[in-house]
Amino acid sequence: MSQAIQICEACIGDLPQIQELAHAIWRTCYPRIITAGQIEYMLERDYNLEALEREITEEGICFERLIVDAESIGFASHGPTDRPGEIKIHKLYVHQDHQRQGYGGRLLEHIATRRSSEGIATLVLA
């Protein structure tokens, strides 16, 4: 069965959906790595709506939404570094029910293609 896959730039109005997805992903994937308290701290610090909006409006960070069959299943964010011709991938997450199906690679490919057309030659992953 063919899937309808979309990757599109998020706007401010999409941030609550990104926040909700981040909460679901973090609370499922990270308990094996960090404590529940650390997870909640990081979610509050990095995924509150004000922080997400500030990344877009003040820091030049772009969020990309991954939508499969009208369901938001992942997202990525990327933005400029101090070096010309370079951007950094800040976030890249795919819901655990959809991992290991190539969606993370599709997000990276989308960002690389989009930024390449803007003259960006280097993607930094951290």
Side-chain angles (χ1 to χ4, degrees), residues 79-122:
T81 69
D82 294 337
R83 296 184 176 131
E86 176 180 279
I87 64 153
K88 179 179 179 182
I89 306 293
H90 295 278
K91 298 171 175 66
L92 194 149
Y93 291 102
V94 175
H95 190 277
Q96 57 276 6
D97 292 345
H98 302 277
Q99 291 176 358
R100 302 198 187 287
Q101 298 176 44
Y103 294 123
R106 283 181 180 239
L107 277 167
L108 282 174
E109 183 179 320
H110 172 83
I111 293 166
T113 300
R114 174 183 171 185
R115 292 305 196 140
S116 175
S117 71
E118 299 168 359
I120 301 296
T122 305

